[in-house]
Amino acid sequence: MQVNGKRYEERVEPRKLLSDFLREDCGLTGTHVGCEHGVCGACTVLVDGSAVRSCLMFAIQAEGAEITTVEGLAQGGIPHPLQDAFSECHALQCGFCTPGILMSSVEFLETHSNPGTEEIKDMLSGHLCRCTGYKGIVEAVQRVVHRQKEGEEASGSGDAVSICSRTTPAV
Protein backbone atom coordinates (compact mmCIF):
# COMPACT_ATOMS: atom_id res chain seq x y z
CA MET A 1 0.00 0.00 0.00
CA GLN A 2 0.95 3.65 -0.30
CA VAL A 3 0.79 5.65 2.90
CA ASN A 4 1.19 9.40 2.51
CA GLY A 5 2.93 8.76 -0.81
CA LYS A 6 5.38 6.21 0.58
CA ARG A 7 5.18 2.56 -0.40
CA TYR A 8 4.89 0.02 2.42
CA GLU A 9 5.14 -3.68 1.78
CA GLU A 10 4.93 -5.72 4.97
CA ARG A 11 3.76 -9.12 6.05
CA VAL A 12 1.10 -8.83 8.72
CA GLU A 13 -1.16 -11.14 10.63
CA PRO A 14 -4.58 -11.34 8.96
CA ARG A 15 -6.24 -9.90 12.08
CA LYS A 16 -3.99 -6.82 12.39
CA LEU A 17 -6.05 -3.65 12.19
CA LEU A 18 -5.15 -0.87 9.80
CA SER A 19 -4.90 1.53 12.77
CA ASP A 20 -2.33 -0.74 14.43
CA PHE A 21 -0.40 -1.17 11.17
CA LEU A 22 -0.20 2.60 10.69
CA ARG A 23 0.93 3.22 14.26
CA GLU A 24 3.21 0.22 14.82
CA ASP A 25 4.60 -0.68 11.40
CA CYS A 26 4.62 2.75 9.76
CA GLY A 27 5.36 4.77 12.89
CA LEU A 28 2.50 7.17 12.11
CA THR A 29 1.10 7.80 15.56
CA GLY A 30 -1.14 10.68 14.49
CA THR A 31 -3.84 8.10 13.83
CA HIS A 32 -5.33 7.83 17.31
CA VAL A 33 -7.12 4.78 18.63
CA GLY A 34 -9.96 5.59 20.99
CA CYS A 35 -12.95 3.31 21.25
CA GLU A 36 -11.82 0.52 18.88
CA HIS A 37 -15.46 0.17 17.81
CA GLY A 38 -15.69 2.84 15.09
CA VAL A 39 -17.79 5.15 17.27
CA CYS A 40 -15.40 7.95 18.26
CA GLY A 41 -13.82 8.63 14.85
CA ALA A 42 -10.33 9.36 16.24
CA CYS A 43 -8.76 6.74 13.97
CA THR A 44 -10.25 8.10 10.73
CA VAL A 45 -7.91 8.06 7.71
CA LEU A 46 -8.49 8.38 3.98
CA VAL A 47 -8.45 5.14 2.01
CA ASP A 48 -8.45 5.90 -1.70
CA GLY A 49 -9.93 9.31 -0.84
CA SER A 50 -12.74 8.06 1.40
CA ALA A 51 -12.86 8.61 5.15
CA VAL A 52 -12.60 5.24 6.89
CA ARG A 53 -12.40 4.17 10.52
CA SER A 54 -9.04 2.42 10.55
CA CYS A 55 -9.95 0.48 13.70
CA LEU A 56 -12.67 -1.31 11.72
CA MET A 57 -10.48 -2.31 8.78
CA PHE A 58 -7.84 -4.98 8.62
CA ALA A 59 -4.48 -3.93 7.23
CA ILE A 60 -4.68 -6.64 4.56
CA GLN A 61 -7.92 -5.09 3.29
CA ALA A 62 -5.89 -2.02 2.35
CA GLU A 63 -3.59 -3.95 0.03
CA GLY A 64 -2.97 -1.79 -3.04
CA ALA A 65 -4.77 1.20 -1.51
CA GLU A 66 -3.63 4.81 -1.18
CA ILE A 67 -3.83 5.77 2.49
CA THR A 68 -3.60 9.33 3.77
CA THR A 69 -3.12 9.97 7.47
CA VAL A 70 -3.03 13.28 9.31
CA GLU A 71 0.75 13.30 8.86
CA GLY A 72 0.16 13.42 5.09
CA LEU A 73 -1.96 16.58 5.11
CA ALA A 74 0.85 19.14 5.28
CA GLN A 75 2.71 19.41 1.99
CA GLY A 76 6.29 20.62 1.86
CA GLY A 77 6.09 21.85 5.44
CA ILE A 78 3.02 23.94 4.66
CA PRO A 79 -0.02 23.01 6.76
CA HIS A 80 -3.23 22.00 5.03
CA PRO A 81 -5.81 24.84 5.01
CA LEU A 82 -7.90 22.91 7.53
CA GLN A 83 -4.93 22.61 9.88
CA ASP A 84 -4.43 26.38 9.70
CA ALA A 85 -8.12 27.06 10.27
CA PHE A 86 -8.27 24.68 13.25
CA SER A 87 -5.44 26.62 14.84
CA GLU A 88 -6.92 30.02 14.03
CA CYS A 89 -10.39 29.13 15.29
CA HIS A 90 -9.19 27.30 18.41
CA ALA A 91 -10.89 24.16 17.14
CA LEU A 92 -8.85 21.84 19.29
CA GLN A 93 -8.02 21.46 22.92
CA CYS A 94 -6.55 18.13 24.00
CA GLY A 95 -6.16 17.21 20.33
CA PHE A 96 -7.04 13.53 20.65
CA CYS A 97 -10.00 13.67 18.26
CA THR A 98 -8.43 16.26 15.94
CA PRO A 99 -6.66 13.94 13.44
CA GLY A 100 -9.84 12.00 12.73
CA ILE A 101 -11.95 15.13 12.43
CA LEU A 102 -9.41 16.67 10.07
CA MET A 103 -9.44 13.59 7.84
CA SER A 104 -13.25 13.45 7.69
CA SER A 105 -13.32 17.19 7.00
CA VAL A 106 -10.88 16.80 4.10
CA GLU A 107 -13.10 14.22 2.44
CA PHE A 108 -16.23 16.25 3.26
CA LEU A 109 -14.88 19.39 1.59
CA GLU A 110 -13.89 17.37 -1.49
CA THR A 111 -17.55 16.45 -1.98
CA HIS A 112 -19.28 19.54 -0.52
CA SER A 113 -18.05 22.79 -2.03
CA ASN A 114 -20.46 25.07 -0.17
CA PRO A 115 -21.80 23.28 2.91
CA GLY A 116 -24.05 24.97 5.40
CA THR A 117 -23.68 24.79 9.16
CA GLU A 118 -26.12 21.89 9.47
CA GLU A 119 -24.24 19.86 6.85
CA ILE A 120 -20.98 20.44 8.70
CA LYS A 121 -22.60 19.42 11.99
CA ASP A 122 -23.98 16.30 10.33
CA MET A 123 -20.47 15.36 9.13
CA LEU A 124 -19.14 15.92 12.65
CA SER A 125 -21.85 13.74 14.18
CA GLY A 126 -19.59 10.75 13.51
CA HIS A 127 -16.91 12.12 15.85
CA LEU A 128 -16.73 12.43 19.60
CA CYS A 129 -14.95 15.42 21.09
CA ARG A 130 -15.11 15.85 24.84
CA CYS A 131 -13.33 19.22 24.99
CA THR A 132 -14.47 21.76 22.42
CA GLY A 133 -18.23 21.66 22.13
CA TYR A 134 -17.67 21.59 18.33
CA LYS A 135 -18.28 25.34 17.83
CA GLY A 136 -14.65 26.11 16.90
CA ILE A 137 -14.52 23.03 14.68
CA VAL A 138 -17.60 24.14 12.73
CA GLU A 139 -16.13 27.64 12.43
CA ALA A 140 -12.81 26.25 11.17
CA VAL A 141 -14.53 24.28 8.41
CA GLN A 142 -16.62 27.34 7.53
CA ARG A 143 -13.43 29.41 7.35
CA VAL A 144 -11.92 27.03 4.80
CA VAL A 145 -15.14 27.08 2.76
CA HIS A 146 -15.12 30.89 2.84
CA ARG A 147 -11.47 31.04 1.78
CA GLN A 148 -12.09 28.61 -1.06
CA LYS A 149 -15.00 30.74 -2.25
CA GLU A 150 -12.91 33.90 -2.01
CA GLY A 151 -9.90 32.25 -3.65
CA GLU A 152 -7.62 33.10 -0.74
CA GLU A 153 -4.46 31.24 0.11
CA ALA A 154 -4.44 29.26 3.37
CA SER A 155 -2.19 31.87 4.96
CA GLY A 156 -4.21 34.84 3.72
CA SER A 157 -6.16 37.00 6.07
CA GLY A 158 -8.80 39.32 4.68
CA ASP A 159 -12.47 39.01 5.58
CA ALA A 160 -12.16 35.35 6.60
CA VAL A 161 -10.95 36.43 10.03
CA SER A 162 -14.52 37.29 11.06
CA ILE A 163 -15.66 33.68 10.67
CA CYS A 164 -14.12 32.58 13.98
CA SER A 165 -15.96 34.04 16.93
CA ARG A 166 -12.95 33.74 19.21
CA THR A 167 -9.70 35.51 18.75
CA THR A 168 -6.35 35.02 20.41
CA PRO A 169 -6.07 37.45 23.33
CA ALA A 170 -3.33 40.04 23.18
CA VAL A 171 -0.46 39.34 25.54
Side-chain angles (χ1 to χ4, degrees), residues 33 40 56-57 78 80 86 103-104 112 141-143 166:
V33 180
C40 72
L56 297 179
M57 185 175 186
I78 299 170
H80 187 280
F86 268 59
M103 300 314 293
S104 287
H112 297 79
V141 175
Q142 288 174 324
R143 177 173 272 211
R166 292 171 275 182

Side-chain angles (χ1 to χ4, degrees), residues 88-110:
E88 294 162 359
C89 294
H90 308 285
L92 54 105
Q93 285 184 17
C94 83
F96 191 81
C97 66
T98 305
I101 291 174
L102 283 168
M103 300 314 293
S104 287
S105 297
V106 166
E107 181 211 24
F108 177 74
L109 291 178
E110 290 289 324

Side-chain angles (χ1 to χ4, degrees), residues 137-166:
I137 297 169
V138 171
E139 290 172 348
V141 175
Q142 288 174 324
R143 177 173 272 211
V144 172
V145 169
H146 178 74
R147 284 183 173 160
Q148 288 174 344
K149 282 198 289 190
E150 297 298 318
E152 292 182 15
E153 292 295 318
S155 62
S157 54
D159 295 333
V161 174
S162 64
I163 292 194
C164 297
S165 63
R166 292 171 275 182

Side-chain angles (χ1 to χ4, degrees), residues 13-104:
E13 290 186 36
R15 65 179 182 217
K16 187 166 203 160
L17 297 174
L18 178 59
S19 57
D20 294 332
F21 176 79
L22 293 169
R23 293 179 60 79
E24 297 166 8
D25 296 77
C26 301
L28 299 170
T29 57
T31 300
H32 294 160
V33 180
C35 67
E36 297 186 273
H37 295 285
V39 175
C40 72
C43 68
T44 303
V45 298
L46 300 181
V47 178
D48 293 328
S50 296
V52 171
R53 304 292 202 253
S54 64
C55 75
L56 297 179
M57 185 175 186
F58 293 117
I60 60 173
Q61 291 177 289
E63 183 177 357
E66 175 66 40
I67 312 292
T68 306
T69 68
V70 70
E71 292 93 342
L73 289 183
Q75 296 294 313
I78 299 170
H80 187 280
L82 277 164
Q83 291 172 309
D84 278 340
F86 268 59
S87 177
E88 294 162 359
C89 294
H90 308 285
L92 54 105
Q93 285 184 17
C94 83
F96 191 81
C97 66
T98 305
I101 291 174
L102 283 168
M103 300 314 293
S104 287

Side-chain angles (χ1 to χ4, degrees), residues 123-136:
M123 178 270 299
L124 290 173
S125 70
H127 292 274
L128 300 178
C129 175
R130 298 180 69 170
C131 299
T132 67
Y134 302 95
K135 185 174 193 274

